[in-house]
Amino acid sequence: MKLSVIVPMYNVRDYCATALKSLALNARGDFEFIVVDDCSTDGTFEILQREIRKVPGGVLHQNPQNSGISYTRNAGLRMARGRYVAFLDGDDWFAPGYLSQLVAAIEHFGCDFVRTDHVRVVGRKREIVRSPQAVRNTMLAPIRSIMPADASTMVDYPLVWAGIFDRELLARRGLLFFDEKLRTAEDRMWTWRLHLYTSSYVAVDLAGIFYRRDVSTSLTRIPDERQLDFVPCFEQVAHEVSAHPWGAQILPKVIRTFCAMMAIHLDRADTYEPDVRALLKSRVSQALDGLHQPLLERTLEEMGERRAKLINSVRGSAPVPPAPSVQEPAAPQRSEYLRQVPAPGANRYRVGAPA
């Protein structure tokens, strides 16, 4: 089996048939489509039971109980047999022929994963959104695409459905599954670990996945306690980065991104229920106390007065730890992180957006 596509579904009655139709238009004899319903309550599963019959290579599974996006993706991953894996959310869709081009790209470069652009859909409007990586069709070291701290980089593009991944390699390295303790921000954790622990990737000019923005059932639109999982996510990222050989160079990016997420949530705290709002402030305060304080102070100075004021409004009075050593760890071996291949012609893998 060449490719497994994992498709979690939950209460997407109005969109799931379109998603499955796009799978059928991408079908090949060596592709499998694993659709996992997370105990939908709006009739989604009944539509899936009918429509999955029209998808060559389609398999439908239902969780025993509602368990969240991480568990649902993992359920599909445990069933997967393909050398490569890709993802699709239940309210999105693929352009015809897109998946064959994804497979062609990763096989051409022989890299650990490929990242793509995507098409953002708001009502009838379509807009191509490019990934932050400007260097295209060239083998790159994932760890070198984490920095700089003050710019949007590939770890700020945690769209796991915008790409294709070597499933067998990720499984060997313990990177394949999502953290089931995270109900949101699981894709950020997964993306950070890819960039910390894999050796090569390529960004290509492909825009063949259509992402519906502002769908009412999206987790990003549900202002409950699940939104706060960005805190344990970035606490874990900071922990792993601190133990990484490149930790001293990368930690400023972790803290900068963590603080940016804090500011976003604090800025919209009034949209949360009072108990969730109080919990947000408490968890952010505790997280701030656990960060390296001199580096945190520098980060807040660089982020600007408005965001710094939001974050400082909930800061505790944690003791200031000693300043970090100025000595940086030795860089990893060049052969591990800097494999390069000649770049093929530009736009080799572009997919035109259908009307």
Side-chain angles (χ1 to χ4, degrees):
M1 187 66 63
K2 185 75 71 175
L3 174 67
S4 299
V5 181
I6 311 302
V7 190
M9 295 275 187
Y10 180 68
N11 285 358
V12 285
R13 177 186 58 199
D14 295 337
Y15 311 112
C16 61
T18 297
L20 264 59
K21 182 179 179 180
S22 80
L23 298 180
L25 292 173
N26 276 271
R28 268 180 26 180
D30 53 354
F31 289 1
E32 64 178 1
F33 305 108
I34 303 173
V35 180
V36 185
D37 180 71
D38 194 22
C39 295
S40 294
T41 59
D42 68 343
T44 292
F45 186 64
E46 290 71 23
I47 296 173
L48 295 175
Q49 287 178 304
R50 182 181 70 246
E51 297 298 322
I52 194 69
R53 302 168 189 166
K54 305 174 185 178
V55 181
V59 176
L60 178 60
H61 172 79
Q62 188 175 50
N63 291 336
Q65 61 187 23
N66 180 261
S67 302
I69 184 65
S70 293
Y71 180 96
T72 303
R73 284 199 183 119
N74 287 347
L77 287 168
R78 292 186 183 98
M79 298 171 62
R81 299 173 295 154
R83 164 69 188 276
Y84 306 110
V85 65
F87 300 94
L88 177 70
D89 284 350
D91 48 7
D92 301 333
W93 75 94
F94 292 132
Y98 170 69
L99 292 177
S100 289
Q101 292 183 280
L102 265 187
V103 170
I106 197 168
E107 291 191 327
H108 174 79
F109 291 106
C111 53
D112 298 343
F113 62 97
V114 165
R115 298 307 310 272
T116 71
D117 307 326
H118 69 278
V119 181
R120 182 164 55 205
V121 179
V122 181
R124 300 182 64 85
K125 182 180 179 180
R126 308 287 190 269
E127 178 185 6
I128 293 180
V129 179
R130 288 174 62 85
S131 76
Q133 180 52 256
V135 178
R136 300 297 173 106
N137 302 320
T138 302
M139 191 93 78
L140 301 170
I143 198 165
R144 291 195 180 276
S145 293
I146 293 175
M147 297 295 282
D150 61 350
S152 179
T153 70
M154 291 303 288
V155 291
D156 304 310
Y157 191 72
L159 310 176
V160 300
W161 36 258
I164 185 171
F165 310 88
D166 187 326
R167 184 188 67 84
E168 295 178 355
L169 179 140
L170 297 188
R172 290 195 302 271
R173 297 191 182 181
L175 303 174
L176 184 59
F177 295 104
F178 292 83
D179 186 340
E180 294 182 9
K181 296 187 299 295
L182 298 176
R183 298 158 298 178
T184 58
E186 80 295 331
D187 46 2
R188 290 184 178 273
M189 182 77 249
W190 201 79
T191 300
W192 267 93
R193 299 193 83 228
L194 279 185
H195 282 266
L196 287 172
Y197 305 124
T198 62
S199 301
S200 61
Y201 86 103
V202 175
V204 299
D205 287 313
L206 259 177
I209 185 165
F210 292 76
Y211 161 59
R212 295 185 198 269
R213 186 71 183 272
D214 295 333
V215 173
S216 61
T217 56
S218 171
L219 279 174
T220 60
R221 299 286 302 275
I222 301 173
D224 63 20
E225 186 183 342
R226 287 172 289 181
Q227 297 298 323
L228 309 188
D229 281 0
F230 78 93
V231 176
C233 167
F234 276 99
E235 287 178 330
Q236 179 63 25
V237 171
H239 174 74
E240 296 196 21
V241 165
S242 296
H244 194 279
W246 284 40
Q249 296 97 314
I250 298 172
L251 192 58
K253 176 65 174 181
V254 179
I255 293 180
R256 177 69 176 246
T257 309
F258 197 0
C259 286
M261 294 292 294
M262 292 176 184
I264 290 171
H265 284 268
L266 290 169
D267 191 41
R268 65 187 187 201
D270 288 345
T271 67
Y272 296 161
E273 293 295 325
D275 57 336
V276 177
R277 183 162 60 246
L279 191 58
L280 166 66
K281 294 179 179 180
S282 172
R283 289 185 180 175
V284 167
S285 178
Q286 293 175 18
L288 289 167
D289 287 347
L291 295 178
H292 188 275
Q293 299 300 297
L295 185 52
L296 174 60
E297 294 291 351
R298 189 176 75 195
T299 299
L300 293 178
E301 289 178 5
E302 295 171 350
M303 290 182 70
E305 181 179 354
R306 184 176 182 277
R307 289 192 290 181
K309 184 177 180 180
L310 277 169
I311 292 170
N312 282 326
S313 69
V314 298
R315 285 183 70 179
S317 55
V320 178
S325 169
V326 296
Q327 183 177 1
E328 294 184 346
Q333 292 296 314
R334 181 177 180 85
S335 60
E336 179 180 358
Y337 289 102
L338 298 180
R339 291 191 291 152
Q340 298 288 329
V341 296
N347 301 323
R348 179 181 177 91
Y349 297 108
R350 181 175 296 278
V351 171

